[in-house]
Amino acid sequence: MTKPKGFYLSYSRINLYYHSPEEYFMRYVLGHCPKPTSNMEFGKIGHKALEDRKFNWRKALRDGRFLSRDESVIENAQKQIKQPDEAEIEFAVRSKWCLLYGIWDGIRWIDKTAKRGEIDEYKFSGLGVWNAEKVNDDLQLNFYAYAFSLRYKRVPDRLVLYHINRANGSVKKYPVPSSKRSKSEWIRRFKGIENIIEYCYDGITNARWEQ
């Protein structure tokens, strides 16, 4: 699958417009894309290393002139994070307003036939502060869960964020089991996602670029 033609919303587009319509205009209308930072480039290599164990990530690090300590970060992450059943899964699902597009870092199937699975998300960063509550409220993970429900007609069994700390190499796992959310809680979460999608769709299609 390639990115859809025509108008669509992804997590990155939603997040950018929701927090700064002006920056959205600069990036997606005028095409002024910021230069990727070192952390962003390292994160791309780290993601690929976790999703495809045949990927020559050591060469990619050398080509990018990363430090030798960065090798140990990815080495440790590969040891502690099992490769998912499916990686880099693109989705394009229809919402009430427009097409939603994105990529799940990984899915671990509990029962693939019944579409019971876990969504994995990898975060490579420095001394970021993550905890179960923050993961539970994370816009990206909830957007991905919403897309999962549109595609498979059920909520994911778990949302899991793996935080790989580039500064010290530690790996922390933050699972959010669906069993911890009642039906009314899922409805509330998805209603919140729909409100944000509607806000962004309405603002973008009507060319509102001020907060």
Side-chain angles (χ1 to χ4, degrees), residues 80-99:
Q80 295 196 46
I81 302 174
K82 183 181 177 182
Q83 189 170 7
D85 297 319
E86 295 183 36
E88 284 283 295
I89 310 104
E90 290 183 283
F91 62 82
V93 294
R94 178 65 58 179
S95 71
K96 298 176 185 177
W97 300 273
C98 64
L99 198 67

Side-chain angles (χ1 to χ4, degrees), residues 130-143 145 159-161 174-178 180-182 185-186 188-189 193:
W130 285 96
N131 53 50
E133 183 179 357
K134 185 175 179 180
V135 172
N136 192 42
D137 293 335
D138 185 68
L139 175 59
Q140 185 175 17
L141 282 173
N142 282 288
F143 173 77
L159 305 175
V160 180
L161 183 141
Y174 298 97
V176 179
S178 63
K180 287 192 174 182
R181 292 183 177 181
S182 63
E185 174 68 4
W186 276 110
R188 184 182 72 82
R189 296 276 179 179
I193 293 294

Side-chain angles (χ1 to χ4, degrees), residues 38-142:
S38 174
N39 280 333
M40 291 170 64
E41 294 293 347
F42 178 75
K44 287 181 181 180
I45 295 171
H47 273 75
K48 186 70 173 176
L50 291 176
E51 294 155 358
D52 179 6
R53 300 302 164 102
K54 295 180 180 180
F55 171 60
N56 191 346
W57 55 268
R58 295 182 190 277
K59 180 179 183 301
L61 288 180
R62 289 195 300 272
D63 291 346
R65 297 186 178 182
F66 286 94
L67 301 175
S68 58
R69 70 179 185 187
D70 288 323
E71 288 193 22
S72 63
V73 172
I74 294 181
E75 270 184 349
N76 188 47
Q78 284 190 326
K79 289 177 182 177
Q80 295 196 46
I81 302 174
K82 183 181 177 182
Q83 189 170 7
D85 297 319
E86 295 183 36
E88 284 283 295
I89 310 104
E90 290 183 283
F91 62 82
V93 294
R94 178 65 58 179
S95 71
K96 298 176 185 177
W97 300 273
C98 64
L99 198 67
L100 305 178
Y101 170 80
I103 300 175
W104 293 306
D105 284 346
I107 290 184
R108 302 179 195 275
W109 293 110
I110 297 169
D111 183 339
K112 189 172 182 178
T113 302
K115 302 305 179 186
R116 293 187 55 210
E118 163 189 309
I119 297 174
D120 289 353
E121 177 66 19
Y122 310 129
K123 296 289 187 186
F124 285 83
S125 63
L127 298 173
V129 178
W130 285 96
N131 53 50
E133 183 179 357
K134 185 175 179 180
V135 172
N136 192 42
D137 293 335
D138 185 68
L139 175 59
Q140 185 175 17
L141 282 173
N142 282 288

Side-chain angles (χ1 to χ4, degrees), residues 21-33:
E22 185 177 357
E23 285 190 33
Y24 180 98
F25 175 77
M26 295 294 292
R27 181 176 302 183
Y28 292 108
V29 179
L30 298 183
H32 295 169
C33 296

Side-chain angles (χ1 to χ4, degrees), residues 172-206:
K172 291 188 177 181
K173 177 181 179 180
Y174 298 97
V176 179
S178 63
S179 59
K180 287 192 174 182
R181 292 183 177 181
S182 63
K183 183 178 179 180
S184 60
E185 174 68 4
W186 276 110
I187 291 173
R188 184 182 72 82
R189 296 276 179 179
F190 285 171
K191 181 60 178 176
I193 293 294
E194 288 180 338
N195 288 341
I196 292 173
I197 292 170
E198 182 178 18
Y199 167 79
C200 294
Y201 173 79
D202 184 62
I204 294 167
T205 56
N206 287 288

